[in-house]
Amino acid sequence: MPFKTTLVDEATERTAKEYLSKGTQVRCVHPQEAPEKITCQYDEAFAVVGVLDEAGKAAEEGYDGVLISCFGDPGLKPARELANIPVVGTAESAMLFGAALAQRFSVITIPQSLVCVAEDIAKLSGVYDKLASVRHLGSQAFEMRKEQKVQRTYDEAIRAIEEDGAQALVIGCTGLLDVPAPLQQLLREKKGYDVPVIDPVGAPVKFLESLIALGLSQSKLTYMAPSK
Amino acid sequence: MPFKTTLVDEATERTAKEYLSKGTQVRCVHPQEAPEKITCQYDEAFAVVGVLDEAGKAAEEGYDGVLISCFGDPGLKPARELANIPVVGTAESAMLFGAALAQRFSVITIPQSLVCVAEDIAKLSGVYDKLASVRHLGSQAFEMRKEQKVQRTYDEAIRAIEEDGAQALVIGCTGLLDVPAPLQQLLREKKGYDVPVIDPVGAPVKFLESLIALGLSQSKLTYMAPSK
Amino acid sequence: MPFKTTLVDEATERTAKEYLSKGTQVRCVHPQEAPEKITCQYDEAFAVVGVLDEAGKAAEEGYDGVLISCFGDPGLKPARELANIPVVGTAESAMLFGAALAQRFSVITIPQSLVCVAEDIAKLSGVYDKLASVRHLGSQAFEMRKEQKVQRTYDEAIRAIEEDGAQALVIGCTGLLDVPAPLQQLLREKKGYDVPVIDPVGAPVKFLESLIALGLSQSKLTYMAPSK
Amino acid sequence: MPFKTTLVDEATERTAKEYLSKGTQVRCVHPQEAPEKITCQYDEAFAVVGVLDEAGKAAEEGYDGVLISCFGDPGLKPARELANIPVVGTAESAMLFGAALAQRFSVITIPQSLVCVAEDIAKLSGVYDKLASVRHLGSQAFEMRKEQKVQRTYDEAIRAIEEDGAQALVIGCTGLLDVPAPLQQLLREKKGYDVPVIDPVGAPVKFLESLIALGLSQSKLTYMAPSK
Amino acid sequence: MPFKTTLVDEATERTAKEYLSKGTQVRCVHPQEAPEKITCQYDEAFAVVGVLDEAGKAAEEGYDGVLISCFGDPGLKPARELANIPVVGTAESAMLFGAALAQRFSVITIPQSLVCVAEDIAKLSGVYDKLASVRHLGSQAFEMRKEQKVQRTYDEAIRAIEEDGAQALVIGCTGLLDVPAPLQQLLREKKGYDVPVIDPVGAPVKFLESLIALGLSQSKLTYMAPSK
Amino acid sequence: MPFKTTLVDEATERTAKEYLSKGTQVRCVHPQEAPEKITCQYDEAFAVVGVLDEAGKAAEEGYDGVLISCFGDPGLKPARELANIPVVGTAESAMLFGAALAQRFSVITIPQSLVCVAEDIAKLSGVYDKLASVRHLGSQAFEMRKEQKVQRTYDEAIRAIEEDGAQALVIGCTGLLDVPAPLQQLLREKKGYDVPVIDPVGAPVKFLESLIALGLSQSKLTYMAPSK
């Protein structure tokens, strides 16, 4: 969790545990050096070194994998160079689920500054052709109560489906962790839209578990180990 | 398993079980109507109705998900229309793992006729930009012993890496089920290539388990239920 | 004609004959096994084996080519593997005409389930960059009289041109066979839009005639003959 | 025929006639202003005004369509603006046949300067994804006898198939008019490659005939009539 | 300036001089043969030979580079074959600046006929992925006073930003030369949109100056010298 | 210069000055916090905060623009958010020159770890379609004398041209600063290849000068100012 605020710790742990296989243990950590929260690429820049520090420690301490729990995937690629255990990002994993389940998906995030970030991750992950749009709630949504967040996300989801052609939704911010389940239900009940809503903690957690179970990790030809 | 031959049953079940989470149960079925084996799109055509039959039965009998265990993904899209439980394909799932773990991946299959099939699945899955090549061993490989299969796959893997720029490998045929682990080891030992080799049973099994755990299924806007 | 209903037989034969070169003879056949009509990929799945059966017979009986007259192109690729005479699909042929005549074209079909099918065919045919949109009338249009069909298609055509940027139109359903000519006229008279409206029987019939005249057929490296 | 040399007149007329439907008449014309022959974009530049002059005259004199018989398609787009009858290019038409018949095709042309021209036409026609490569024989091939041309084209065809992954061939120069038929035969006999070889006169002639029969012409939203 | 009208000479020279480095000298020339003005591809066709004539003379007279000052870039590619000094086009250069400064840019031009031309140039320049849209004012804008031009361009700019997702603007016609600066200011003051507005004379002039300073010119493998 | 080593200071300053317009002044700075040198994404991660620090200071001290002189463009996007003056990267600028001057270009860099980095920058810059390949000399080249560097780069350049289809070359490492001019000459003399060789200091310096002269900067809709 590459930021200082502990506001989403409880929801992140709860969500992760909800989806974990039996026997998997998760530890949430915040790096010592980190921005208060992440709302743009400038914030992300101050998160990277802390991410690497924690990823390195995790590998040394015998953890089986690392998840960078922030939708901008800060430090994902250098951490993959550093570590010999699989490292997954939130956005990349969640978008791959979106690409697999629908012809086109939209991402809904909070800050406008992260729209281009999400587009760039889709381009580099190879799923840009299936990205219908990236929509944002605006930074005031960080302060909303859960019901408001669900309502605002619902409004953008309807636009994504009806104007942009989305057929699945990726929730693009760990500040919206309790939104996916009620949103999926609302869309079905109010409009009859039976579409998958992909959770930005659940999807990467399961993807990481899968890699560990399969004995797979990032390619060391793509992410070569740094020379000492 | 949309073909009649039971030659790969044992290996498929063994592989699936190796990777399953605790509590997951797998049942392998062959449809009543099916081609002897699948080596081209003509064969696949005769597999589709049987796949739909079994997918429909699985949904009725309370199974949580369906995996079509053949690299051509025959019947995947109509089965997704039919069923209200998640349906995953072998090729689509395995290629998404390839796209996530490396800058470029190659598929290695057995029959030459399936080269274009694999390319088409990559195009429709949105990961064609990351597909370095599809290589084939030739249909005689169906008859080879395990050691020969590993050796022939290794030869093509080296070409994929050194000539085509692959940095991960997707094993593109359920007739090569015992190849991934020894291949990954050979590449590391002989050449120092530390690349993920993705198993065509393990990857879709884990992907399907993840969908089930997350309560996700294919979008019903993409795969609309057939009208009665 | 890979469906049981004979409702469009008369219009299909009439349209085909209107455009045929002198000396060309056409025979319309329905396979023995076929769905009543085709409105989704699930229906298409039940059409494929019948298509292959008829394509095989056509080749044996000395026909010069095969046209699969349904916009989903069911069985096109396996039929191309099977037959040594050219086999063309409705959608693929019609879209190539659209790509050749305009910067961007839209497809207008009847059932919503075929929207993704048409998009997939455009992706695999290589003309997706020129596809402005796929619009649908909704399945109730199957029951409409000709005037209503023309009017509803006109409404969608205007949206395709004015909202999606289409500059040519492909009629994407053999249930709309009498629409192209009056539609093209309406667009010119009411709005001054002088755009080609491509007929889903005429275009593939002429394309198939051209292949036969030129002695060309599908590549047997792409569509390899099934091993016996 | 937007050049002065009449060297290929006889072969062009012979080829066109071989493929024409009964009742179609063809007239080959050279514009008054034209370069001696066309080997680069600089030559093409001097061909355009003459093409427009002849296309305008053809429309006035009641011809049903215009074919610009040179693989660089000089003047194609302005002629489409000018004329109210369909205007087709050699390269665009031939490549659409290539895209329809195979997963990937290669173009084989004579002068190296036209390699980029052919690539650009593929990009603008929307079939670049299916273009395996553009190969050239070198300008000395203009002077070769037919047997030598066939042999040199065969050599490049083998490279296109075996090194570039081509599964169909487009003959990309009207200076190679007698090559397609013997080349197709050689490939089959010597190597067992049963691939379509597309003729740069035959394909556009049949495509133009098809448009005329179907009452179709270029979109006047893409190619707007010049204001007087 | 590949047209006869001298209406924009003064604005072009003034704009060019405003941005020139010390020591650079510019000479604006109109070819002897040229259309009155350029509003479509048909007009452009009559501009090409004159462009080549002037580009050839410039190279002989010791000029260091050539700029074709018209947004359709008429004659750009043959001129690059002909000349051994760098030749740049207006549209290609301006769009590269757009691609470098924003995630997505829109072009705003005057005549509707040039919309497809601008799209084609984006495709061939490789920046089509970053092109949000091409909007046009309509040919009546040629006759407008400066204030009207600014207002109409502002209206389209707002649509480009708010409907098409543009984050930078390329002014796509030398008939809008005095628009960029006031437009950029209006967007900032009225809406708070701090976006680059790229000038169709300034950007190519600076790009050409850069090439000359760096000793770079077009590749002679892409643009091979015409054989004599 | 986002690294500690001062080995390339002299060459960078010399190169920059060679290409500067009269009146432009350049100051080279190394951030306080920086890795010794940059050979992979892990190294880059430690360069970003220092880059932001210096970019912020430059904006405050009244500099007109910032160039990040390292081919991985570390910190480019967050610096563009932070600063109100134009910020350009080495790789992005150099590749835009490559895309403008040729049909396809190759990048030649030193460390293998930067191959994927360069590919990613091409994808995000929109010029990936024109990227023929990224080749590397291997890290031992950091230690080579100039003559050896030229020779090794020449060898890779020949492969890029003859095997990968490159028609322009981008030198992708500031450790190869003295290579472009002699390489361009060698290619012409030894092989007759008259291709542009783009300098990784010269190209971005001139591009930044152009932006400053034109009053252009990065879009603040793409790179929104961080909230305080």
Side-chain angles (χ1 to χ4, degrees):
Chain A
M1 306 181 79
F3 36 76
K4 278 216 147 50
T5 178
T6 57
L7 273 175
V8 297
D9 280 30
E10 187 271 333
T12 303
E13 288 199 22
R14 181 166 29 83
T15 307
K17 281 174 188 162
E18 186 181 339
Y19 298 129
L20 287 180
S21 300
K22 277 177 202 159
T24 306
Q25 293 191 347
V26 159
R27 191 163 62 101
C28 291
V29 293
H30 297 271
Q32 264 198 313
E33 283 188 66
E36 182 60 27
K37 63 181 178 181
I38 295 186
T39 64
C40 59
Q41 298 186 73
Y42 181 78
D43 292 342
E44 278 181 17
F46 290 89
V48 173
V49 169
V51 164
L52 296 179
D53 191 37
E54 293 294 340
K57 276 196 273 181
E60 278 171 26
E61 294 172 10
Y63 281 85
D64 292 316
V66 174
L67 161 58
I68 301 170
S69 187
C70 171
F71 205 79
D73 293 352
L76 175 60
K77 295 188 171 214
R80 284 178 167 175
E81 291 183 341
L82 176 66
N84 278 315
I85 53 176
V87 182
V88 304
T90 296
E92 189 183 80
S93 306
M95 291 196 209
L96 287 170
F97 277 77
L101 295 174
Q103 187 83 340
R104 260 182 304 278
F105 64 92
S106 285
V107 171
I108 304 179
T109 187
I110 289 183
Q112 187 174 357
S113 293
L114 293 186
V115 171
C116 291
V117 176
E119 292 172 349
D120 284 353
I121 293 172
K123 285 181 186 174
L124 296 183
S125 302
V127 298
Y128 191 64
D129 272 2
K130 296 202 136 191
L131 181 67
S133 61
V134 183
R135 291 189 162 268
H136 65 280
L137 307 185
S139 288
Q140 65 282 13
F142 279 118
E143 318 301 330
M144 288 179 183
R145 280 172 306 109
K146 182 185 159 187
E147 290 69 28
Q148 283 178 295
K149 284 181 178 175
V150 170
Q151 183 56 47
R152 279 287 293 119
T153 312
Y154 174 80
D155 295 345
E156 291 300 326
I158 293 299
R159 287 192 195 102
I161 292 169
E162 299 184 352
E163 295 173 23
D164 308 336
Q167 302 181 338
L169 299 166
V170 170
I171 299 304
C173 188
T174 51
L176 294 170
L177 270 184
D178 291 320
V179 168
L183 175 62
Q184 190 161 323
Q185 198 181 334
L186 266 184
L187 288 167
R188 193 183 291 123
E189 286 172 7
K190 283 207 181 168
K191 288 280 200 167
Y193 293 146
D194 192 1
V195 299
V197 178
I198 292 147
D199 182 297
V201 167
V205 157
K206 294 307 287 184
F207 187 59
L208 181 53
E209 269 192 337
S210 299
L211 294 180
I212 295 168
L214 293 163
L216 293 173
S217 186
Q218 55 271 3
S219 170
K220 284 292 169 181
L221 292 186
T222 304
Y223 304 103
M224 307 183 87
S227 51
K228 300 299 153 65
Chain B
M1 306 181 79
F3 36 75
K4 278 216 150 52
T5 178
T6 56
L7 273 175
V8 297
D9 281 30
E10 187 271 333
T12 304
E13 288 200 22
R14 182 166 29 84
T15 307
K17 279 174 188 162
E18 185 181 340
Y19 298 128
L20 288 179
S21 299
K22 279 177 199 160
T24 305
Q25 294 191 345
V26 159
R27 191 164 63 101
C28 290
V29 294
H30 296 270
Q32 265 198 311
E33 282 188 66
E36 182 58 27
K37 63 182 180 181
I38 295 187
T39 63
C40 60
Q41 299 187 71
Y42 181 79
D43 292 341
E44 280 183 15
F46 291 89
V48 173
V49 170
V51 164
L52 296 178
D53 192 37
E54 292 295 341
K57 276 195 274 181
E60 279 171 25
E61 293 171 10
Y63 281 85
D64 292 316
V66 174
L67 161 58
I68 302 168
S69 188
C70 170
F71 206 79
D73 293 352
L76 175 61
K77 295 188 171 214
R80 285 178 166 175
E81 290 184 342
L82 176 67
N84 278 315
I85 53 175
V87 183
V88 304
T90 296
E92 189 183 79
S93 307
M95 290 197 212
L96 288 171
F97 278 77
L101 295 174
Q103 186 83 339
R104 262 182 304 278
F105 64 92
S106 286
V107 172
I108 303 177
T109 187
I110 289 183
Q112 187 173 0
S113 293
L114 293 185
V115 171
C116 291
V117 177
E119 291 172 350
D120 285 354
I121 293 172
K123 285 180 184 175
L124 296 182
S125 302
V127 297
Y128 191 63
D129 272 1
K130 295 201 138 191
L131 182 66
S133 62
V134 183
R135 290 189 162 267
H136 65 280
L137 308 186
S139 289
Q140 65 283 13
F142 279 117
E143 318 303 328
M144 288 179 184
R145 281 171 306 109
K146 183 185 157 186
E147 291 68 29
Q148 283 177 296
K149 285 181 177 176
V150 170
Q151 182 58 45
R152 278 288 294 119
T153 313
Y154 173 81
D155 294 345
E156 290 302 326
I158 293 298
R159 287 192 194 102
I161 292 169
E162 299 185 350
E163 294 173 23
D164 309 336
Q167 303 180 339
L169 299 165
V170 170
I171 298 305
C173 189
T174 51
L176 294 171
L177 270 185
D178 291 321
V179 168
L183 175 61
Q184 190 161 324
Q185 199 181 335
L186 267 183
L187 288 167
R188 193 183 292 122
E189 286 171 6
K190 282 208 183 167
K191 286 281 200 165
Y193 292 148
D194 191 0
V195 299
V197 177
I198 292 148
D199 181 298
V201 168
V205 158
K206 294 308 288 183
F207 187 60
L208 181 53
E209 269 193 336
S210 298
L211 294 180
I212 294 168
L214 294 163
L216 293 174
S217 187
Q218 55 270 5
S219 170
K220 282 293 168 179
L221 293 185
T222 303
Y223 304 102
M224 309 185 84
S227 52
K228 301 296 155 65
Chain C
M1 307 181 78
F3 37 75
K4 280 215 147 49
T5 179
T6 58
L7 273 175
V8 298
D9 281 29
E10 187 271 333
T12 304
E13 288 200 22
R14 181 166 29 83
T15 306
K17 279 174 187 163
E18 186 181 338
Y19 298 127
L20 288 178
S21 299
K22 277 177 203 159
T24 306
Q25 293 191 348
V26 159
R27 190 164 62 102
C28 291
V29 294
H30 297 270
Q32 264 197 312
E33 281 188 69
E36 183 59 28
K37 63 182 179 182
I38 295 187
T39 64
C40 59
Q41 299 187 71
Y42 181 78
D43 293 343
E44 279 182 16
F46 290 88
V48 173
V49 170
V51 164
L52 296 179
D53 191 39
E54 292 295 341
K57 277 196 273 181
E60 279 171 24
E61 293 172 10
Y63 281 86
D64 292 316
V66 173
L67 161 57
I68 301 168
S69 189
C70 171
F71 206 80
D73 293 353
L76 175 60
K77 295 190 171 213
R80 285 179 166 174
E81 289 184 343
L82 177 66
N84 278 313
I85 53 177
V87 183
V88 304
T90 297
E92 189 183 80
S93 307
M95 290 197 211
L96 287 171
F97 277 77
L101 294 174
Q103 187 82 341
R104 260 181 304 278
F105 64 92
S106 285
V107 171
I108 303 178
T109 187
I110 289 184
Q112 187 174 358
S113 293
L114 293 185
V115 171
C116 291
V117 177
E119 291 172 350
D120 285 353
I121 294 172
K123 285 181 186 176
L124 296 183
S125 301
V127 298
Y128 191 64
D129 272 2
K130 296 201 137 192
L131 181 67
S133 61
V134 183
R135 291 190 161 266
H136 65 281
L137 307 184
S139 288
Q140 66 282 16
F142 279 117
E143 319 302 328
M144 289 179 182
R145 281 171 306 108
K146 182 185 158 184
E147 290 69 27
Q148 284 178 294
K149 283 181 179 174
V150 171
Q151 183 57 46
R152 279 287 293 119
T153 313
Y154 174 79
D155 295 345
E156 291 301 325
I158 293 297
R159 287 192 195 104
I161 292 168
E162 298 184 351
E163 294 173 24
D164 308 337
Q167 302 182 337
L169 298 165
V170 169
I171 299 304
C173 189
T174 52
L176 295 170
L177 269 185
D178 291 321
V179 168
L183 174 62
Q184 190 162 324
Q185 199 180 334
L186 267 183
L187 287 167
R188 192 183 291 120
E189 286 172 6
K190 283 207 180 169
K191 288 280 199 166
Y193 293 146
D194 192 359
V195 299
V197 178
I198 292 147
D199 182 296
V201 167
V205 157
K206 294 306 289 184
F207 187 60
L208 181 54
E209 270 192 335
S210 298
L211 293 180
I212 295 167
L214 293 163
L216 293 175
S217 186
Q218 55 271 3
S219 170
K220 283 292 169 182
L221 292 186
T222 304
Y223 305 102
M224 307 185 86
S227 52
K228 300 296 154 64
Chain D
M1 306 181 79
F3 37 75
K4 277 215 150 51
T5 178
T6 57
L7 273 175
V8 297
D9 281 30
E10 187 271 333
T12 304
E13 289 200 22
R14 181 166 29 83
T15 307
K17 279 174 188 161
E18 186 181 339
Y19 298 127
L20 287 179
S21 299
K22 279 176 199 160
T24 307
Q25 293 191 347
V26 159
R27 191 164 62 99
C28 291
V29 294
H30 296 269
Q32 265 197 311
E33 282 188 66
E36 183 58 27
K37 63 181 180 182
I38 294 188
T39 64
C40 59
Q41 299 187 72
Y42 181 79
D43 292 342
E44 280 183 15
F46 291 89
V48 173
V49 170
V51 164
L52 296 178
D53 191 38
E54 292 296 340
K57 276 195 274 181
E60 278 171 25
E61 292 172 11
Y63 281 85
D64 292 316
V66 173
L67 161 58
I68 301 169
S69 188
C70 170
F71 205 79
D73 293 352
L76 175 60
K77 294 188 172 215
R80 285 180 166 174
E81 290 184 341
L82 176 67
N84 279 314
I85 54 176
V87 182
V88 304
T90 296
E92 190 184 80
S93 307
M95 289 198 212
L96 287 170
F97 278 77
L101 295 174
Q103 186 83 339
R104 262 182 303 278
F105 63 93
S106 285
V107 171
I108 303 178
T109 187
I110 289 182
Q112 188 174 357
S113 294
L114 293 185
V115 171
C116 291
V117 176
E119 291 173 349
D120 284 354
I121 293 172
K123 286 180 184 175
L124 297 182
S125 302
V127 298
Y128 191 63
D129 272 1
K130 296 201 138 192
L131 180 66
S133 62
V134 184
R135 292 189 161 268
H136 65 280
L137 307 186
S139 288
Q140 66 282 16
F142 279 118
E143 318 302 329
M144 288 179 183
R145 280 172 305 109
K146 182 186 157 184
E147 290 68 28
Q148 284 177 294
K149 285 181 179 176
V150 170
Q151 183 57 46
R152 279 287 294 121
T153 313
Y154 174 79
D155 294 344
E156 293 299 326
I158 292 299
R159 285 191 196 104
I161 292 169
E162 300 185 349
E163 294 172 23
D164 308 336
Q167 303 181 338
L169 299 166
V170 170
I171 299 304
C173 187
T174 51
L176 295 170
L177 271 184
D178 291 320
V179 168
L183 174 61
Q184 190 162 326
Q185 199 181 334
L186 266 185
L187 288 167
R188 192 182 293 122
E189 286 171 5
K190 282 207 183 168
K191 288 280 200 166
Y193 294 147
D194 191 0
V195 299
V197 177
I198 293 148
D199 181 298
V201 167
V205 157
K206 294 308 288 183
F207 187 60
L208 180 54
E209 271 193 334
S210 298
L211 293 180
I212 294 167
L214 294 163
L216 293 173
S217 187
Q218 56 270 5
S219 170
K220 282 294 169 179
L221 293 185
T222 303
Y223 305 101
M224 309 185 84
S227 51
K228 301 295 153 65
Chain E
M1 305 180 79
F3 38 75
K4 278 216 148 50
T5 178
T6 58
L7 273 175
V8 297
D9 281 30
E10 188 270 335
T12 304
E13 287 200 23
R14 182 167 27 84
T15 306
K17 279 174 187 162
E18 186 180 338
Y19 298 128
L20 288 179
S21 301
K22 277 177 202 160
T24 306
Q25 294 192 346
V26 159
R27 191 164 62 101
C28 290
V29 292
H30 297 270
Q32 263 198 313
E33 282 188 68
E36 183 58 26
K37 63 180 179 183
I38 293 186
T39 64
C40 60
Q41 298 186 73
Y42 181 78
D43 292 343
E44 278 181 17
F46 290 89
V48 173
V49 170
V51 163
L52 296 179
D53 191 38
E54 292 295 342
K57 276 196 274 181
E60 277 171 25
E61 292 171 11
Y63 281 85
D64 293 316
V66 173
L67 161 58
I68 301 169
S69 188
C70 171
F71 205 80
D73 293 353
L76 175 60
K77 294 190 171 214
R80 284 178 167 174
E81 290 183 343
L82 176 66
N84 278 314
I85 52 176
V87 182
V88 303
T90 296
E92 189 183 80
S93 306
M95 290 196 211
L96 287 171
F97 277 77
L101 295 173
Q103 186 82 339
R104 261 182 304 277
F105 64 92
S106 285
V107 170
I108 303 178
T109 186
I110 289 183
Q112 187 174 359
S113 293
L114 293 186
V115 171
C116 291
V117 177
E119 291 172 349
D120 285 353
I121 293 172
K123 285 180 186 174
L124 296 183
S125 302
V127 297
Y128 191 63
D129 271 1
K130 296 202 135 191
L131 181 67
S133 62
V134 183
R135 292 189 160 268
H136 66 279
L137 307 185
S139 287
Q140 66 282 13
F142 279 118
E143 318 301 329
M144 289 178 182
R145 280 171 306 109
K146 183 186 158 185
E147 290 70 26
Q148 284 178 294
K149 284 180 179 175
V150 170
Q151 182 57 46
R152 279 287 293 118
T153 312
Y154 174 80
D155 294 345
E156 291 301 327
I158 293 298
R159 286 191 195 104
I161 292 169
E162 299 184 351
E163 294 173 23
D164 308 337
Q167 302 181 338
L169 299 165
V170 169
I171 299 305
C173 188
T174 52
L176 295 170
L177 270 185
D178 291 320
V179 167
L183 174 62
Q184 190 162 324
Q185 198 181 335
L186 266 183
L187 288 167
R188 193 183 291 122
E189 285 172 6
K190 283 206 180 169
K191 287 280 199 166
Y193 293 147
D194 191 0
V195 299
V197 178
I198 293 149
D199 182 297
V201 167
V205 157
K206 294 307 289 183
F207 187 59
L208 181 53
E209 268 192 337
S210 298
L211 293 180
I212 295 168
L214 294 163
L216 293 174
S217 187
Q218 55 271 4
S219 169
K220 283 292 169 182
L221 292 186
T222 304
Y223 304 103
M224 306 185 87
S227 51
K228 299 299 152 65
Chain F
M1 307 180 79
F3 37 75
K4 277 215 149 51
T5 177
T6 57
L7 274 175
V8 297
D9 281 29
E10 187 271 332
T12 304
E13 288 199 23
R14 181 167 29 84
T15 307
K17 279 174 188 163
E18 184 180 340
Y19 297 128
L20 287 179
S21 300
K22 277 176 200 160
T24 306
Q25 294 191 345
V26 160
R27 191 164 63 101
C28 291
V29 293
H30 297 269
Q32 264 197 312
E33 283 188 65
E36 182 60 27
K37 63 182 180 181
I38 294 186
T39 63
C40 60
Q41 298 187 74
Y42 181 78
D43 292 342
E44 279 183 15
F46 291 88
V48 174
V49 170
V51 164
L52 295 178
D53 191 39
E54 293 295 339
K57 277 196 273 181
E60 277 171 26
E61 292 172 10
Y63 280 86
D64 292 317
V66 173
L67 161 58
I68 301 169
S69 187
C70 171
F71 205 79
D73 292 353
L76 175 61
K77 294 188 171 214
R80 283 179 167 176
E81 290 185 342
L82 176 68
N84 279 314
I85 53 176
V87 182
V88 304
T90 296
E92 188 183 81
S93 307
M95 290 197 211
L96 288 170
F97 277 77
L101 295 174
Q103 187 82 341
R104 261 182 304 279
F105 65 92
S106 286
V107 171
I108 303 177
T109 187
I110 289 183
Q112 188 174 357
S113 293
L114 293 185
V115 171
C116 291
V117 177
E119 290 172 350
D120 285 353
I121 293 172
K123 286 181 184 175
L124 296 183
S125 302
V127 297
Y128 191 64
D129 272 1
K130 297 201 135 191
L131 181 66
S133 61
V134 184
R135 291 188 162 269
H136 65 279
L137 307 186
S139 289
Q140 66 282 14
F142 280 118
E143 319 301 328
M144 288 178 183
R145 280 170 307 107
K146 184 185 157 184
E147 290 68 29
Q148 284 177 295
K149 284 181 178 175
V150 170
Q151 183 57 45
R152 279 287 294 120
T153 312
Y154 174 81
D155 294 344
E156 291 301 325
I158 292 299
R159 287 192 195 103
I161 292 169
E162 299 185 350
E163 295 173 23
D164 308 335
Q167 302 180 338
L169 299 166
V170 169
I171 298 305
C173 188
T174 51
L176 295 170
L177 271 184
D178 291 320
V179 167
L183 174 62
Q184 190 161 324
Q185 199 180 335
L186 267 184
L187 287 167
R188 193 183 292 120
E189 285 171 7
K190 283 208 182 167
K191 287 280 199 166
Y193 293 146
D194 191 0
V195 299
V197 178
I198 293 148
D199 181 298
V201 167
V205 157
K206 293 308 288 183
F207 188 59
L208 180 54
E209 270 193 336
S210 297
L211 293 180
I212 295 168
L214 293 162
L216 293 173
S217 187
Q218 56 271 5
S219 170
K220 282 293 169 179
L221 293 185
T222 302
Y223 304 102
M224 308 186 84
S227 52
K228 300 298 154 64

